[in-house]
Amino acid sequence: MGVTSAAKTIRDNEVKGAPRAMMEELFQDFYKHRNQIYVMNFVRGVFFGFGSVVGGTLVVALLLWILSMLHYVPFVDTYVDATQRALEKSQEK
């Protein structure tokens, strides 16, 4: 490794490390205490979980609604009929 390639490697490392150092500094300035970080991450997790449940529910409901429009799908029809009969039997009890 020559002097010029070593200098180029050092310069490249400095260029790549500058944005990371800036992001770390901004992060440290934004959150003064670790407790704030924990609370913020907890709140983010709660909202992420809530959004996932609501989104999943909407996707499943939309899928079921679309499938209910199709009365005669070859393979799905037998499963829908079996499920419908099972639900009717459970409601009779």
Side-chain angles (χ1 to χ4, degrees):
M1 181 183 263
V3 175
T4 57
S5 64
K8 184 179 181 313
T9 303
I10 292 171
R11 190 171 0 132
D12 289 345
N13 288 340
E14 287 176 355
V15 169
K16 291 177 185 175
R20 181 178 177 164
M22 183 177 68
M23 291 301 290
E24 288 176 358
E25 185 176 335
L26 286 172
F27 184 76
Q28 293 299 330
D29 287 343
F30 189 69
Y31 295 106
K32 297 292 184 194
H33 304 287
R34 282 207 180 268
N35 290 342
Q36 288 178 332
I37 296 170
Y38 297 144
V39 169
M40 180 60 88
N41 284 336
F42 176 76
V43 170
R44 284 178 54 207
V46 167
F47 280 108
F48 178 79
F50 180 72
S52 297
V53 168
V54 170
T57 303
L58 290 175
V59 167
V60 169
L62 182 65
L63 182 65
L64 290 175
W65 179 70
I66 290 171
L67 287 176
S68 72
M69 298 292 193
L70 307 171
H71 292 288
Y72 299 106
V73 178
F75 296 108
V76 177
D77 192 34
T78 56
Y79 294 116
V80 170
D81 287 339
T83 305
Q84 189 174 14
R85 278 182 269 144
L87 287 173
E88 288 172 357
K89 283 183 184 179
S90 68
Q91 289 177 353
E92 290 175 1
K93 292 181 180 182

Coordinates of all heavy atoms in Angstrom, one line a residue:
M1 N 0.9 -1.2 0.0 CA 0.0 0.0 0.0 C 0.9 1.2 0.0 O 1.7 1.4 0.9 CB -0.9 0.0 1.2 CG -1.9 1.1 1.3 SD -2.9 1.1 2.8 CE -4.3 0.4 2.2
G2 N 0.7 2.1 -1.0 CA 1.5 3.2 -1.1 C 1.0 4.4 -0.3 O -0.1 4.3 0.3
V3 N 1.8 5.5 -0.3 CA 1.4 6.6 0.5 C 0.1 7.2 -0.1 O -0.8 7.7 0.7 CB 2.5 7.7 0.5 CG1 2.1 9.0 1.2 CG2 3.8 7.1 1.1
T4 N 0.0 7.3 -1.4 CA -1.2 7.9 -2.0 C -2.5 7.1 -1.7 O -3.5 7.6 -1.5 CB -1.0 8.1 -3.5 OG1 -0.7 6.8 -4.1 CG2 0.1 9.1 -3.8
S5 N -2.3 5.7 -1.8 CA -3.5 4.9 -1.5 C -3.9 5.0 0.0 O -5.1 4.9 0.3 CB -3.3 3.5 -1.9 OG -2.2 2.9 -1.2
A6 N -2.9 5.1 0.9 CA -3.2 5.2 2.3 C -4.0 6.5 2.6 O -4.9 6.6 3.3 CB -2.0 5.1 3.1
A7 N -3.5 7.6 1.9 CA -4.1 8.9 2.1 C -5.5 8.9 1.5 O -6.5 9.5 2.1 CB -3.3 10.0 1.4
K8 N -5.7 8.2 0.4 CA -7.0 8.1 -0.2 C -8.0 7.3 0.7 O -9.1 7.7 0.9 CB -7.0 7.4 -1.6 CG -8.3 7.3 -2.3 CD -8.1 6.7 -3.6 CE -9.4 6.6 -4.4 NZ -10.5 6.1 -3.8
T9 N -7.5 6.2 1.3 CA -8.3 5.4 2.2 C -8.7 6.2 3.4 O -9.9 6.2 3.9 CB -7.5 4.2 2.7 OG1 -7.1 3.4 1.5 CG2 -8.3 3.3 3.6
I10 N -7.8 7.0 4.0 CA -8.1 7.9 5.2 C -9.1 8.9 4.8 O -10.1 9.1 5.5 CB -6.8 8.5 5.7 CG1 -5.9 7.5 6.3 CG2 -7.1 9.6 6.7 CD1 -4.5 8.0 6.7
R11 N -9.0 9.5 3.6 CA -9.9 10.6 3.2 C -11.3 9.9 3.0 O -12.3 10.5 3.4 CB -9.4 11.2 1.9 CG -10.2 12.4 1.5 CD -9.5 13.1 0.3 NE -8.3 12.4 -0.1 CZ -8.0 12.1 -1.4 NH1 -8.7 12.4 -2.3 NH2 -6.9 11.4 -1.6
D12 N -11.3 8.7 2.3 CA -12.6 8.1 2.1 C -13.3 7.7 3.4 O -14.5 7.9 3.6 CB -12.4 6.8 1.3 CG -12.1 7.1 -0.2 OD1 -12.3 8.3 -0.6 OD2 -11.6 6.2 -0.8
N13 N -12.5 7.3 4.4 CA -13.1 6.9 5.7 C -13.7 8.2 6.4 O -14.7 8.1 7.1 CB -12.1 6.2 6.6 CG -11.8 4.8 6.2 OD1 -12.6 4.2 5.4 ND2 -10.7 4.3 6.6
E14 N -13.0 9.3 6.3 CA -13.4 10.5 6.9 C -14.7 11.0 6.2 O -15.7 11.4 6.9 CB -12.4 11.6 6.7 CG -11.2 11.4 7.7 CD -10.1 12.5 7.4 OE1 -10.2 13.3 6.5 OE2 -9.1 12.5 8.2
V15 N -14.8 10.9 4.9 CA -16.0 11.3 4.2 C -17.2 10.4 4.6 O -18.3 10.8 4.8 CB -15.8 11.2 2.6 CG1 -17.1 11.4 1.9 CG2 -14.8 12.3 2.3
K16 N -17.0 9.1 4.7 CA -18.0 8.2 5.1 C -18.4 8.3 6.5 O -19.6 8.1 6.9 CB -17.6 6.7 4.8 CG -17.5 6.4 3.4 CD -17.0 4.9 3.2 CE -16.7 4.6 1.7 NZ -16.1 3.3 1.6
G17 N -17.5 8.7 7.4 CA -17.8 8.8 8.8 C -18.4 10.1 9.2 O -19.1 10.2 10.3
A18 N -18.3 11.1 8.4 CA -18.9 12.4 8.7 C -20.4 12.4 8.9 O -20.9 12.9 9.9 CB -18.4 13.5 7.7
P19 N -21.1 11.8 7.9 CA -22.6 11.8 8.1 C -23.0 11.0 9.3 O -24.0 11.3 10.0 CB -23.1 11.1 6.8 CG -22.0 11.3 5.8 CD -20.7 11.3 6.6
R20 N -22.3 9.9 9.6 CA -22.7 9.1 10.8 C -22.4 9.9 12.0 O -23.3 9.9 12.9 CB -21.8 7.8 10.8 CG -22.2 6.9 11.9 CD -21.4 5.7 11.9 NE -21.7 4.9 13.1 CZ -21.4 3.7 13.3 NH1 -20.8 3.0 12.4 NH2 -21.7 3.1 14.4
A21 N -21.3 10.6 12.1 CA -21.0 11.4 13.3 C -22.1 12.5 13.5 O -22.5 12.8 14.6 CB -19.6 12.0 13.2
M22 N -22.5 13.1 12.4 CA -23.5 14.1 12.4 C -24.8 13.5 12.9 O -25.5 14.2 13.8 CB -23.7 14.7 11.0 CG -24.6 15.9 11.0 SD -24.8 16.7 9.4 CE -25.6 15.4 8.5
M23 N -25.2 12.4 12.4 CA -26.5 11.8 12.9 C -26.4 11.4 14.4 O -27.4 11.6 15.1 CB -26.8 10.5 12.0 CG -27.1 10.8 10.6 SD -28.6 11.9 10.4 CE -29.8 10.8 11.0
E24 N -25.3 10.9 14.8 CA -25.1 10.6 16.2 C -25.2 11.8 17.1 O -25.9 11.8 18.2 CB -23.8 9.8 16.5 CG -23.8 8.4 16.0 CD -22.5 7.7 16.1 OE1 -21.5 8.4 16.6 OE2 -22.3 6.6 15.8
E25 N -24.6 12.9 16.6 CA -24.7 14.1 17.4 C -26.1 14.7 17.4 O -26.6 15.1 18.5 CB -23.7 15.2 16.7 CG -23.6 16.4 17.5 CD -22.6 17.4 16.9 OE1 -21.7 17.0 16.2 OE2 -22.8 18.6 17.2
L26 N -26.8 14.6 16.3 CA -28.2 15.1 16.3 C -29.1 14.2 17.2 O -29.9 14.7 17.9 CB -28.8 15.0 14.9 CG -28.3 16.1 13.9 CD1 -28.8 15.8 12.5 CD2 -28.8 17.5 14.4
F27 N -28.8 12.9 17.2 CA -29.6 12.0 18.1 C -29.3 12.3 19.6 O -30.3 12.4 20.4 CB -29.2 10.6 17.8 CG -30.0 9.6 18.6 CD1 -31.3 9.3 18.2 CD2 -29.5 8.9 19.7 CE1 -32.1 8.4 18.9 CE2 -30.2 8.0 20.4 CZ -31.5 7.7 20.0
Q28 N -28.1 12.6 19.9 CA -27.7 12.9 21.3 C -28.3 14.3 21.7 O -28.7 14.4 22.9 CB -26.2 12.9 21.5 CG -25.6 11.5 21.3 CD -26.1 10.5 22.3 OE1 -26.5 10.9 23.4 NE2 -26.1 9.3 21.9
D29 N -28.4 15.2 20.8 CA -29.0 16.5 21.1 C -30.5 16.4 21.3 O -31.1 17.1 22.1 CB -28.6 17.5 20.0 CG -27.2 18.0 20.1 OD1 -26.5 17.7 21.1 OD2 -26.7 18.5 19.0
F30 N -31.1 15.6 20.5 CA -32.6 15.5 20.5 C -33.1 14.9 21.8 O -34.0 15.3 22.4 CB -33.1 14.7 19.3 CG -34.6 14.8 19.1 CD1 -35.2 15.9 18.8 CD2 -35.3 13.6 19.3 CE1 -36.6 16.0 18.6 CE2 -36.7 13.6 19.1 CZ -37.3 14.8 18.8
Y31 N -32.4 13.8 22.2 CA -32.8 13.1 23.4 C -31.7 13.3 24.5 O -30.6 12.8 24.4 CB -32.9 11.6 23.2 CG -34.0 11.3 22.2 CD1 -33.8 10.9 20.9 CD2 -35.4 11.4 22.6 CE1 -34.8 10.6 20.0 CE2 -36.4 11.1 21.7 CZ -36.1 10.7 20.5 OH -37.1 10.4 19.6
K32 N -32.1 14.1 25.5 CA -31.1 14.4 26.6 C -31.0 13.2 27.6 O -29.9 13.1 28.1 CB -31.5 15.7 27.3 CG -31.6 16.9 26.5 CD -30.2 17.3 26.1 CE -30.2 18.6 25.3 NZ -29.0 18.9 24.6
H33 N -32.0 12.5 27.8 CA -32.0 11.4 28.7 C -32.4 10.1 28.1 O -33.2 10.1 27.2 CB -32.9 11.7 29.9 CG -32.6 13.0 30.6 ND1 -31.5 13.2 31.4 CD2 -33.3 14.2 30.5 CE1 -31.5 14.5 31.8 NE2 -32.6 15.1 31.3
R34 N -31.8 9.0 28.6 CA -32.2 7.7 28.0 C -33.6 7.3 28.3 O -34.3 6.6 27.5 CB -31.3 6.6 28.7 CG -29.9 6.6 28.1 CD -29.4 5.1 28.2 NE -28.1 5.1 27.7 CZ -27.8 4.7 26.4 NH1 -28.8 4.4 25.6 NH2 -26.6 4.6 26.0
N35 N -34.2 7.8 29.4 CA -35.6 7.5 29.6 C -36.5 8.0 28.5 O -37.5 7.4 28.2 CB -36.1 8.1 31.0 CG -35.4 7.4 32.1 OD1 -35.0 6.3 32.0 ND2 -35.4 8.1 33.3
Q36 N -36.2 9.2 27.9 CA -36.9 9.7 26.8 C -36.9 8.8 25.6 O -37.9 8.6 24.9 CB -36.4 11.1 26.4 CG -36.8 12.2 27.4 CD -36.2 13.5 26.9 OE1 -35.2 13.6 26.2 NE2 -36.8 14.6 27.4
I37 N -35.7 8.2 25.4 CA -35.6 7.3 24.3 C -36.4 6.0 24.5 O -37.1 5.6 23.6 CB -34.1 6.9 24.1 CG1 -33.2 8.1 23.8 CG2 -33.9 5.8 23.1 CD1 -31.7 7.8 23.8
Y38 N -36.4 5.5 25.7 CA -37.2 4.3 26.0 C -38.7 4.6 25.9 O -39.5 3.8 25.4 CB -36.9 3.8 27.5 CG -35.5 3.4 27.7 CD1 -34.9 3.6 28.8 CD2 -34.8 2.7 26.6 CE1 -33.6 3.2 29.0 CE2 -33.5 2.3 26.8 CZ -32.9 2.5 28.0 OH -31.6 2.1 28.2
V39 N -39.2 5.8 26.4 CA -40.6 6.1 26.3 C -41.0 6.3 24.8 O -42.0 5.8 24.4 CB -40.9 7.4 27.1 CG1 -42.2 7.9 26.8 CG2 -40.7 7.1 28.6
M40 N -40.1 7.0 24.1 CA -40.4 7.2 22.7 C -40.5 5.9 21.9 O -41.4 5.7 21.1 CB -39.4 8.2 22.0 CG -39.7 8.4 20.6 SD -41.2 9.2 20.3 CE -40.7 10.9 20.5
N41 N -39.6 5.0 22.1 CA -39.6 3.7 21.5 C -40.8 2.9 21.9 O -41.4 2.1 21.1 CB -38.3 3.0 21.7 CG -37.2 3.5 20.9 OD1 -37.4 4.1 19.8 ND2 -35.9 3.3 21.4
F42 N -41.2 3.0 23.2 CA -42.4 2.2 23.6 C -43.6 2.8 22.9 O -44.5 2.0 22.4 CB -42.5 2.4 25.1 CG -43.8 1.8 25.7 CD1 -43.9 0.4 25.8 CD2 -44.8 2.5 26.0 CE1 -45.0 -0.2 26.3 CE2 -46.0 2.0 26.5 CZ -46.1 0.6 26.6
V43 N -43.8 4.1 22.9 CA -44.9 4.7 22.2 C -45.0 4.3 20.7 O -46.0 4.0 20.2 CB -44.9 6.2 22.4 CG1 -46.0 6.9 21.6 CG2 -45.1 6.5 23.9
R44 N -43.8 4.4 20.1 CA -43.7 4.0 18.7 C -44.2 2.5 18.5 O -44.9 2.2 17.6 CB -42.3 4.1 18.1 CG -41.9 5.6 17.9 CD -40.5 5.7 17.4 NE -40.3 4.9 16.2 CZ -39.1 4.4 15.9 NH1 -38.0 4.7 16.7 NH2 -38.9 3.6 14.8
G45 N -43.7 1.6 19.4 CA -44.1 0.2 19.3 C -45.6 0.0 19.5 O -46.2 -0.8 18.8
V46 N -46.2 0.7 20.5 CA -47.6 0.6 20.7 C -48.4 1.0 19.4 O -49.3 0.3 19.0 CB -48.1 1.5 21.9 CG1 -49.6 1.6 22.0 CG2 -47.5 0.9 23.2
F47 N -48.0 2.2 18.9 CA -48.7 2.6 17.7 C -48.4 1.7 16.5 O -49.3 1.5 15.7 CB -48.3 4.1 17.3 CG -49.0 5.1 18.1 CD1 -48.4 5.8 19.1 CD2 -50.4 5.3 17.9 CE1 -49.1 6.7 19.9 CE2 -51.1 6.3 18.7 CZ -50.4 7.0 19.7
F48 N -47.2 1.2 16.4 CA -47.0 0.2 15.3 C -47.8 -1.0 15.4 O -48.4 -1.5 14.5 CB -45.5 -0.1 15.3 CG -45.1 -1.1 14.2 CD1 -44.9 -0.7 12.9 CD2 -45.0 -2.5 14.6 CE1 -44.6 -1.7 11.9 CE2 -44.6 -3.4 13.6 CZ -44.5 -3.0 12.3
G49 N -47.9 -1.5 16.7 CA -48.7 -2.7 16.9 C -50.2 -2.5 16.6 O -50.9 -3.3 16.0
F50 N -50.7 -1.3 17.1 CA -52.1 -0.9 16.8 C -52.4 -0.8 15.3 O -53.4 -1.3 14.8 CB -52.4 0.4 17.6 CG -53.8 0.8 17.4 CD1 -54.9 0.2 18.0 CD2 -54.1 1.9 16.6 CE1 -56.2 0.6 17.8 CE2 -55.4 2.3 16.4 CZ -56.5 1.7 17.0
G51 N -51.5 -0.1 14.6 CA -51.6 0.0 13.2 C -51.6 -1.3 12.4 O -52.3 -1.5 11.5
S52 N -50.7 -2.2 12.9 CA -50.6 -3.5 12.3 C -51.9 -4.3 12.5 O -52.4 -4.9 11.5 CB -49.5 -4.3 12.9 OG -48.3 -3.7 12.6
V53 N -52.5 -4.2 13.6 CA -53.8 -4.9 13.9 C -54.9 -4.4 13.1 O -55.7 -5.1 12.4 CB -54.1 -4.9 15.4 CG1 -55.5 -5.4 15.7 CG2 -53.1 -5.8 16.2
V54 N -55.0 -3.0 13.1 CA -56.1 -2.4 12.3 C -55.9 -2.7 10.8 O -56.8 -3.0 10.1 CB -56.1 -0.9 12.6 CG1 -57.1 -0.2 11.6 CG2 -56.6 -0.6 14.0
G55 N -54.7 -2.5 10.3 CA -54.4 -2.8 8.9 C -54.7 -4.2 8.5 O -55.3 -4.5 7.5
G56 N -54.2 -5.1 9.3 CA -54.5 -6.6 9.1 C -56.0 -6.9 9.1 O -56.4 -7.7 8.2
T57 N -56.7 -6.3 10.0 CA -58.1 -6.5 10.1 C -58.8 -6.0 8.8 O -59.7 -6.7 8.2 CB -58.7 -5.8 11.3 OG1 -58.1 -6.3 12.5 CG2 -60.2 -6.0 11.4
L58 N -58.4 -4.8 8.4 CA -59.0 -4.3 7.1 C -58.7 -5.1 5.9 O -59.6 -5.3 5.1 CB -58.5 -2.8 6.9 CG -59.1 -1.8 7.9 CD1 -58.4 -0.4 7.7 CD2 -60.6 -1.7 7.9
V59 N -57.5 -5.6 5.8 CA -57.1 -6.4 4.7 C -57.9 -7.7 4.7 O -58.4 -8.1 3.6 CB -55.6 -6.7 4.7 CG1 -55.2 -7.8 3.7 CG2 -54.8 -5.4 4.3
V60 N -58.0 -8.4 5.8 CA -58.7 -9.6 5.9 C -60.2 -9.4 5.6 O -60.8 -10.1 4.9 CB -58.5 -10.3 7.3 CG1 -59.5 -11.4 7.5 CG2 -57.1 -10.8 7.4
A61 N -60.8 -8.3 6.1 CA -62.2 -8.0 5.9 C -62.4 -7.7 4.4 O -63.4 -8.2 3.8 CB -62.6 -6.8 6.7
L62 N -61.5 -7.0 3.8 CA -61.6 -6.7 2.3 C -61.5 -8.0 1.5 O -62.3 -8.2 0.6 CB -60.6 -5.7 1.9 CG -60.6 -5.3 0.4 CD1 -61.8 -4.5 0.1 CD2 -59.4 -4.4 0.1
L63 N -60.6 -8.8 1.9 CA -60.4 -10.1 1.2 C -61.7 -11.0 1.3 O -62.2 -11.6 0.4 CB -59.2 -10.9 1.7 CG -58.9 -12.2 1.1 CD1 -58.5 -12.0 -0.4 CD2 -57.8 -12.9 1.8
L64 N -62.2 -11.1 2.5 CA -63.4 -11.8 2.8 C -64.6 -11.2 2.0 O -65.5 -12.0 1.5 CB -63.8 -11.9 4.2 CG -62.8 -12.8 5.1 CD1 -63.2 -12.7 6.5 CD2 -62.9 -14.2 4.6
W65 N -64.7 -9.9 1.9 CA -65.8 -9.3 1.2 C -65.7 -9.6 -0.3 O -66.7 -9.9 -0.9 CB -65.7 -7.8 1.4 CG -66.8 -7.0 0.7 CD1 -68.1 -7.0 1.0 CD2 -66.6 -6.2 -0.4 NE1 -68.8 -6.2 0.1 CE2 -67.9 -5.7 -0.8 CE3 -65.5 -5.8 -1.1 CZ2 -68.0 -4.8 -1.9 CZ3 -65.7 -4.9 -2.2 CH2 -66.9 -4.4 -2.5
I66 N -64.5 -9.5 -0.8 CA -64.3 -9.9 -2.2 C -64.6 -11.3 -2.5 O -65.3 -11.7 -3.5 CB -62.8 -9.5 -2.7 CG1 -62.6 -8.0 -2.7 CG2 -62.5 -10.2 -4.0 CD1 -61.2 -7.6 -2.9
L67 N -64.2 -12.2 -1.6 CA -64.5 -13.6 -1.8 C -66.0 -13.9 -1.6 O -66.5 -14.8 -2.2 CB -63.7 -14.5 -0.8 CG -62.3 -14.6 -1.0 CD1 -61.6 -15.4 0.1 CD2 -62.0 -15.3 -2.4
S68 N -66.7 -13.1 -0.8 CA -68.2 -13.3 -0.7 C -68.9 -12.9 -1.9 O -70.0 -13.4 -2.2 CB -68.7 -12.5 0.5 OG -68.7 -11.1 0.2
M69 N -68.3 -12.1 -2.7 CA -68.9 -11.7 -4.0 C -68.8 -12.8 -5.0 O -69.6 -12.9 -5.9 CB -68.2 -10.4 -4.6 CG -68.3 -9.2 -3.8 SD -70.0 -8.7 -3.8 CE -69.8 -7.1 -3.1
L70 N -67.8 -13.7 -4.9 CA -67.6 -14.8 -5.8 C -68.3 -16.0 -5.2 O -67.7 -16.6 -4.3 CB -66.1 -15.0 -6.0 CG -65.3 -13.8 -6.5 CD1 -63.8 -14.1 -6.4 CD2 -65.7 -13.3 -7.8
H71 N -69.4 -16.4 -5.7 CA -70.1 -17.5 -5.1 C -69.6 -18.9 -5.5 O -69.7 -19.8 -4.8 CB -71.6 -17.4 -5.4 CG -72.3 -16.3 -4.7 ND1 -72.5 -16.2 -3.3 CD2 -72.7 -15.1 -5.1 CE1 -73.0 -15.1 -3.0 NE2 -73.2 -14.4 -4.1
Y72 N -69.1 -18.9 -6.7 CA -68.7 -20.2 -7.3 C -67.2 -20.2 -7.7 O -66.9 -20.2 -8.8 CB -69.6 -20.6 -8.5 CG -71.0 -20.7 -8.1 CD1 -71.9 -19.7 -8.4 CD2 -71.5 -21.7 -7.3 CE1 -73.3 -19.8 -8.0 CE2 -72.8 -21.8 -6.9 CZ -73.7 -20.8 -7.3 OH -75.0 -20.9 -6.9
V73 N -66.4 -20.3 -6.7 CA -65.0 -20.5 -6.9 C -64.7 -21.9 -6.7 O -65.1 -22.5 -5.6 CB -64.1 -19.6 -6.0 CG1 -62.6 -19.8 -6.2 CG2 -64.5 -18.1 -6.2
P74 N -64.1 -22.7 -7.6 CA -64.0 -24.1 -7.6 C -63.5 -24.7 -6.2 O -64.2 -25.5 -5.7 CB -63.0 -24.5 -8.7 CG -63.1 -23.3 -9.6 CD -63.4 -22.1 -8.8
F75 N -62.4 -24.3 -5.7 CA -61.8 -24.9 -4.5 C -62.3 -24.2 -3.2 O -62.4 -24.9 -2.2 CB -60.3 -24.9 -4.6 CG -59.8 -25.8 -5.7 CD1 -59.2 -25.2 -6.8 CD2 -59.9 -27.2 -5.7 CE1 -58.7 -25.9 -7.9 CE2 -59.4 -27.9 -6.7 CZ -58.8 -27.3 -7.8
V76 N -62.6 -23.0 -3.3 CA -62.9 -22.2 -2.2 C -64.4 -22.5 -1.8 O -64.7 -22.4 -0.6 CB -62.7 -20.7 -2.4 CG1 -63.2 -19.8 -1.2 CG2 -61.3 -20.4 -2.7
D77 N -65.2 -22.8 -2.8 CA -66.6 -23.0 -2.5 C -66.9 -24.1 -1.5 O -67.7 -23.9 -0.6 CB -67.3 -23.3 -3.9 CG -68.8 -23.2 -3.7 OD1 -69.3 -22.4 -3.0 OD2 -69.5 -24.0 -4.4
T78 N -66.1 -25.2 -1.6 CA -66.4 -26.3 -0.7 C -66.0 -25.9 0.8 O -66.7 -26.3 1.7 CB -65.5 -27.5 -1.1 OG1 -64.2 -27.2 -1.2 CG2 -66.0 -28.1 -2.4
Y79 N -64.9 -25.1 0.9 CA -64.5 -24.7 2.3 C -65.5 -23.7 2.8 O -65.8 -23.7 4.0 CB -63.1 -24.1 2.2 CG -62.1 -25.1 1.9 CD1 -61.3 -25.0 0.7 CD2 -61.8 -26.2 2.7 CE1 -60.3 -25.9 0.4 CE2 -60.8 -27.1 2.4 CZ -60.1 -27.0 1.3 OH -59.1 -27.9 0.9
V80 N -66.0 -22.8 2.0 CA -67.0 -21.8 2.4 C -68.3 -22.5 2.9 O -68.9 -22.2 3.9 CB -67.3 -20.8 1.3 CG1 -68.4 -19.9 1.7 CG2 -66.0 -19.9 1.1
D81 N -68.7 -23.5 2.1 CA -69.9 -24.2 2.5 C -69.7 -25.0 3.8 O -70.6 -25.0 4.7 CB -70.3 -25.2 1.4 CG -70.9 -24.6 0.1 OD1 -71.3 -23.4 0.3 OD2 -70.8 -25.2 -0.9
A82 N -68.6 -25.6 4.0 CA -68.3 -26.3 5.2 C -68.3 -25.4 6.4 O -68.8 -25.7 7.5 CB -67.0 -27.1 5.1
T83 N -67.7 -24.2 6.2 CA -67.6 -23.2 7.3 C -69.0 -22.7 7.6 O -69.3 -22.5 8.8 CB -66.6 -22.1 6.9 OG1 -65.4 -22.6 6.5 CG2 -66.5 -21.1 8.0
Q84 N -69.8 -22.5 6.6 CA -71.1 -21.9 6.8 C -72.0 -23.0 7.5 O -72.7 -22.6 8.5 CB -71.7 -21.6 5.4 CG -73.0 -20.9 5.6 CD -73.6 -20.4 4.2 OE1 -73.1 -20.8 3.2 NE2 -74.5 -19.5 4.2
R85 N -71.9 -24.2 7.2 CA -72.6 -25.3 7.9 C -72.2 -25.4 9.3 O -73.0 -25.5 10.2 CB -72.5 -26.6 7.2 CG -73.4 -26.7 6.0 CD -73.3 -28.1 5.4 NE -72.3 -27.9 4.3 CZ -71.4 -28.7 3.9 NH1 -71.3 -29.9 4.5 NH2 -70.5 -28.5 3.0
A86 N -70.9 -25.3 9.6 CA -70.4 -25.3 11.0 C -70.9 -24.2 11.8 O -71.3 -24.3 13.0 CB -68.9 -25.4 11.0
L87 N -70.9 -23.0 11.2 CA -71.4 -21.8 11.9 C -72.9 -22.0 12.2 O -73.4 -21.6 13.3 CB -71.2 -20.5 11.1 CG -69.7 -20.1 11.1 CD1 -69.6 -18.9 10.1 CD2 -69.3 -19.7 12.4
E88 N -73.7 -22.5 11.2 CA -75.1 -22.7 11.4 C -75.4 -23.7 12.5 O -76.3 -23.5 13.4 CB -75.8 -23.1 10.1 CG -75.9 -22.0 9.1 CD -76.3 -22.4 7.8 OE1 -76.6 -23.7 7.6 OE2 -76.5 -21.6 6.9
K89 N -74.6 -24.7 12.6 CA -74.8 -25.7 13.6 C -74.5 -25.2 15.0 O -75.1 -25.4 16.0 CB -73.9 -26.9 13.4 CG -74.4 -27.9 12.3 CD -73.5 -29.1 12.2 CE -73.9 -30.0 11.1 NZ -73.0 -31.1 10.9
S90 N -73.4 -24.3 15.1 CA -73.0 -23.7 16.4 C -74.1 -22.7 16.8 O -74.3 -22.5 18.0 CB -71.7 -23.1 16.3 OG -71.7 -21.9 15.5
Q91 N -74.8 -22.1 15.9 CA -75.8 -21.1 16.3 C -77.1 -21.8 16.7 O -77.9 -21.3 17.5 CB -76.1 -20.2 15.1 CG -75.0 -19.2 14.9 CD -75.2 -18.3 13.7 OE1 -76.2 -18.5 13.0 NE2 -74.4 -17.3 13.5
E92 N -77.3 -23.0 16.2 CA -78.5 -23.8 16.6 C -78.5 -24.3 18.1 O -79.5 -24.5 18.7 CB -78.7 -25.0 15.7 CG -79.1 -24.6 14.3 CD -79.1 -25.8 13.4 OE1 -78.9 -26.9 13.8 OE2 -79.5 -25.6 12.2
K93 N -77.3 -24.5 18.6 CA -77.1 -25.0 19.9 C -77.5 -24.1 21.0 O -77.6 -23.0 21.1 CB -75.7 -25.5 20.2 CG -75.4 -26.7 19.3 CD -74.0 -27.2 19.6 CE -73.7 -28.4 18.8 NZ -72.4 -28.9 19.0

